[in-house]
Amino acid sequence: TSLATQIGDFHFKNVLMNASGVHCMTAAELDELAASPAGTLVTKSGTPNARPGNPEPRYQALTMGSINSMGLPNKGLDYYLDYALAFQVKHPQQPIFMSVAGMGPDDYVTLAQKIQDSDFTGLTEFNLSCPNVPGKPQIAYDLETTEQILDNIFRLFKKPAGVKLPPFFDLAQFDQMAALLNRYPLQFINSINSLGNGLMIDPATDTTVIRPKGGFGGIGGAYAKPIALANVRAFRQRLRAEIAIIGTGGVNTGRDVYDLILCGADMVQLGTVLQEEGIPAFARLSQELEAIMATKGYTQLADFKGQLHTIA
Ligand code: RRO
């Protein structure tokens, strides 16, 4: 059985990888991903300058997932670019993803130009969906700003690129966003980022479980699964076939991975489950996915990718 997959001309031995933000802040964490069964890795979203992020506590595991308001703590674009350039020399056959995020529209030009001018040969993920920077709206919920940013990026950026999207909840939003995205030379989209601005309360103290933003934070894990499936499915039905889809959200079992692929995911990312279980999650979920495929007589992802049945 093969769990191999492909995004554009990039080949990966395993469909699983980390979601940006989880286990990818430092070179040591990234090295652990590289040595794992994961197909590849993505860095924490890098900003033009390093950031400490929001005050703690800023992440909390919940019974059905997680809430976070990290606030984009990261070591800065240069750190991740240096890591990626060294990595691609050591592992010429293992393309990696760099995630980047702007604090405002102008930052995306700065980030894109720096990567364009570098020797980076991997894939760049432009994060348009960070929910947790006080005072900054999630870019991709504003179609006009998204269009401006993509125009500015692709005027100068000629390397393989994709966008990380927030969850959408209305079919008209899928129509509008997909029509916009289809105009750009994207290699992939990544659906979904966390469900922005949820709230959880500690019943013992009647207090929010995280400090930043009065307790509001992005929700991940099992809470996100049906939304992630819907977003992957809705975009697969609307995007050009050349645009691959990375499915992210709500993965705890091999069946969850299988379901995202059924909806059309070409690659699947682990967020909350990787944060809570650590690197062993990759082997466990790979085994669980292979077992499901074996019972159905499938030997490769193409045997069921996008093959979701609906009721007539
Ligand atoms: O750092 C964060 O607070 C964060 C980011 Br940039 C993101 O894209 N998604 C998220 O859940 N947290």
Side-chain angles (χ1 to χ4, degrees), residues 110-183:
T110 309
L111 295 161
Q113 189 70 61
K114 205 155 191 174
I115 298 170
Q116 181 63 33
D117 292 342
S118 77
D119 291 324
F120 180 58
T121 57
L123 294 130
T124 302
E125 176 172 285
F126 292 94
N127 182 357
L128 304 181
S129 47
C130 177
N132 299 330
V133 180
K136 306 278 185 187
Q138 289 174 77
I139 288 166
Y141 284 142
D142 180 336
L143 219 54
E144 272 185 35
T145 306
T146 301
E147 179 174 19
Q148 273 177 23
I149 287 174
L150 292 175
D151 280 347
N152 290 338
I153 289 173
F154 286 108
R155 199 166 291 136
L156 65 92
F157 201 69
K158 307 301 172 194
K159 296 185 175 185
V163 290
K164 180 78 171 272
L165 298 172
F168 296 102
F169 300 92
D170 193 279
L171 297 184
Q173 293 178 307
F174 292 118
D175 290 343
Q176 292 170 354
M177 183 54 67
L180 178 66
L181 297 174
N182 276 332
R183 293 173 27 208

Side-chain angles (χ1 to χ4, degrees), residues 20-21 44-45 54 68-73 101 127 129-133 164 193-195 218-219:
S20 181
K44 173 65 183 173
S45 293
N54 291 337
N68 89 82
S69 183
M70 304 302 288
L72 216 30
N127 182 357
S129 47
C130 177
N132 299 330
V133 180
K164 180 78 171 272
N193 208 318
S194 56
L195 313 180
I219 305 292

